[in-house]
């Protein structure tokens, strides 16, 4: 058995650099710790955190390897001591890891694996874990969503929001709003996914439009990945006793002058920052168990899995460049053959 494996690394000092620095090379093959499985990877999904980590702007948890990637699909090659989740060698699985998915093999806690349904492709499965778990966490564990509440998903055509819109719909949201940067993306969110309405942040004042659409009430839950540029708008659009869940800062973390925080008191707004990757395995396992309940709805297509592009992992530079364009609707997936 080989003692090495291929993986994607960066040739920039410190592992930080542009997409063009990424390349496939040989590294020592991973070995399982207690409770871990070794999975031979068929496909892995790209996430915006990968871009941030590549450029040195993501707080990587201490247990994460330097290899990028947190979600994958593949087959179990071996099981370490202490694996008690009912898996066996040869099982087709998909799962979530702290890192290391841009590689031929990954060592991952068996608590974070799921059996891959036969009707779900390797490519689709590789794009499920981070996306659907993050949306579930933002809605329920952090945002306290309940049937009948209204919700706003920023970056509506992003993979997390695509999942979140669908979860909001089956969860009984009264209204589902989105923001996006093109009419094509808005039409996708409304006509394909079932959002109530969408607003183009490039051409419209989205907070004013949502207030009009809700007769001034606003929305009960806001899920935001944008950060500084949307901070005031989120406060304006949040309903009384509303919750704003902050998951990212694509526009930066420094607030512009003149931001009015009066709504925190006036409307009793709760602002919650959260992340998934820094959580412990037991927390993530609860979310994995929730994800498992969605599998029948993936099978009957009540919940749809959207893959925008599939590229061989030899084209990892192109894959990262595609994500940087911010034009995709759904996941960008790389396959390993």
């Amino acid at each position: 058995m080989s003692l090495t494996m291929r993986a994607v690394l960066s040739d920039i000092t410190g592992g930080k650099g542009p997409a063009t620095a990424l390349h496939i090379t040989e590294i020592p093959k991973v070995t399982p710790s207690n409770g871990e499985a070794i999975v031979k990877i068929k496909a892995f999904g790209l996430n915006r955190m990968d871009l941030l980590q590549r450029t040195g702007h993501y707080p990587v948890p201490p247990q994460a390897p330097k290899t990028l990637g947190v979600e994958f699909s593949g087959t179990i090659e071996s099981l370490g001591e202490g694996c008690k989740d009912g898996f066996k060698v040869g099982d087709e699985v998909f799962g979530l890891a702290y890192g290391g998915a841009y590689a031929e093999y990954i060592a991952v806690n068996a608590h974070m694996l799921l059996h891959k349904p036969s009707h779900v492709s390797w490519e689709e499965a590789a794009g499920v874990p981070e996306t659907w778990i993050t949306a579930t966490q933002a809605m329920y564990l952090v945002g306290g969503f309940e049937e009948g509440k209204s919700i706003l998903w920023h970056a509506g055509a992003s993979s997390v929001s695509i999942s979140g819109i669908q979860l909001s719909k089956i969860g009984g949201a009264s209204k589902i709003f989105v923001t996006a940067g093109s009419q094509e993306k808005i039409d996708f969110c409304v006509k394909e996914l079932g959002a109530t309405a969408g607003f183009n942040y490039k051409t419209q004042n989205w907070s004013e439009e949502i207030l009009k659409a809700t007769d001034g009430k606003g929305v009960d839950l806001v899920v935001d990945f944008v950060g500084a540029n949307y901070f005031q708008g989120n406060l304006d659009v949040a309903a009384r006793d509303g919750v704003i869940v902050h998951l990212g800062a694509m526009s930066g973390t420094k607030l512009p002058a003149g931001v009015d925080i009066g709504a925190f008191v006036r409307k009793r707004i709760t602002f919650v920052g959260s992340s998934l990757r820094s959580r412990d395995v037991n927390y993530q396992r609860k979310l994995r168990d929730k994800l498992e309940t969605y599998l029948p709805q993936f099978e009957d297509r009540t919940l749809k899995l959207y893959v925008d592009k599939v590229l061989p992992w030899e084209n990892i530079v192109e894959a990262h460049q595609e994500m940087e364009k911010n034009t995709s609707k759904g996941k960008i997936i790389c396959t390993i053959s």
Side-chain angles (χ1 to χ4, degrees):
M1 184 177 293
S2 175
L3 299 178
T4 64
M5 67 179 188
R6 292 180 297 163
V8 175
L9 294 182
S10 169
D11 59 10
I12 296 295
T13 301
K16 304 170 186 177
T20 52
L22 298 174
H23 65 285
I24 298 173
T25 188
E26 293 278 336
I27 66 171
K29 186 177 179 181
V30 290
T31 56
S33 298
N34 189 64
E36 289 186 334
I38 300 298
V39 176
K40 183 174 178 18
I41 294 179
K42 292 280 192 177
F44 59 83
L46 272 65
N47 291 281
R48 193 156 295 276
M49 76 173 79
D50 300 346
L51 307 186
L52 295 172
Q53 182 178 339
R54 192 198 74 219
T55 54
H57 296 109
Y58 189 91
V60 181
Q63 64 270 53
K66 62 181 180 179
T67 308
L68 297 171
V70 298
E71 59 181 351
F72 59 90
S73 62
T75 58
I76 294 179
E77 184 192 65
S78 62
L79 294 165
E81 296 293 329
C83 288
K84 301 176 181 178
D85 289 76
F87 295 104
K88 63 183 185 299
V89 172
D91 280 352
E92 298 182 347
V93 296
F94 62 104
L96 186 68
Y98 287 109
Y102 287 22
E104 288 184 301
Y105 297 90
I106 190 170
V108 59
N109 193 296
H111 291 335
M112 294 310 299
L113 293 175
L114 287 163
H115 290 283
K116 184 184 80 67
S118 59
H119 67 279
V120 175
S121 69
W122 293 113
E123 293 82 3
E124 288 174 325
V128 167
E130 173 69 17
T131 296
W132 289 85
I133 285 178
T134 297
T136 299
Q137 178 198 28
M139 277 183 65
Y140 291 103
L141 273 69
V142 180
F145 177 81
E146 295 175 349
E147 183 178 0
K149 288 189 175 184
S150 57
I151 189 167
L152 164 62
W153 291 91
H154 286 302
S158 68
S159 296
V160 173
S161 289
I162 287 172
S163 305
I165 293 164
Q166 295 182 75
L167 292 176
S168 301
K169 187 174 180 181
I170 67 170
S174 58
K175 292 183 178 180
I176 307 166
F177 297 108
V178 300
T179 61
S182 71
Q183 191 59 47
E184 179 187 4
K185 288 184 176 181
I186 290 170
D187 289 343
F188 169 72
C189 292
V190 174
K191 297 177 182 179
E192 179 74 18
L193 301 179
T196 305
F199 303 97
N200 189 329
Y201 65 83
K202 295 180 179 178
T203 61
Q204 295 175 287
N205 185 319
W206 54 266
S207 59
E208 288 184 0
E209 294 299 324
I210 292 174
L211 287 171
K212 289 177 186 176
T214 57
D215 297 321
K217 178 181 181 294
V219 292
D220 298 307
L221 177 58
V222 178
V223 183
D224 179 39
F225 315 88
V226 180
N229 290 353
Y230 281 15
F231 191 85
Q232 185 67 68
N234 288 336
L235 291 179
D236 295 341
V237 82
R240 180 164 293 185
D241 294 316
V243 178
I244 301 168
V245 179
H246 174 68
L247 297 181
M250 294 170 62
S251 66
T253 59
K254 303 293 185 181
L255 296 182
V259 168
D260 182 358
I261 63 172
F264 278 113
V265 175
R266 187 174 68 254
K267 295 194 286 186
R268 302 189 296 266
I269 292 171
T270 300
F271 183 95
V272 187
S274 187
S275 66
L276 175 61
R277 195 173 179 185
S278 60
R279 304 282 190 170
D280 64 36
V281 170
N282 290 330
Y283 179 95
Q284 292 192 12
R285 184 184 184 182
K286 292 177 184 177
L287 288 164
R288 183 215 64 170
D289 293 346
K290 179 64 175 176
L291 174 59
E292 191 169 27
T293 68
Y294 302 152
L295 296 185
Q297 290 163 302
F298 291 149
E299 184 169 5
D300 65 20
R301 300 297 176 180
T302 299
L303 297 174
K304 298 178 181 179
L305 306 175
Y306 290 88
V307 174
D308 188 87
K309 286 183 175 65
V310 177
L311 298 166
W313 77 320
E314 290 84 358
N315 292 20
I316 188 62
V317 171
E318 179 185 349
H320 268 237
Q321 290 172 337
E322 282 293 321
M323 176 160 276
E324 288 173 334
K325 292 177 184 177
N326 199 31
T327 57
S328 60
K329 298 189 296 294
K331 299 293 296 190
I332 297 173
I333 303 294
C334 285
T335 56
I336 300 178
S337 57

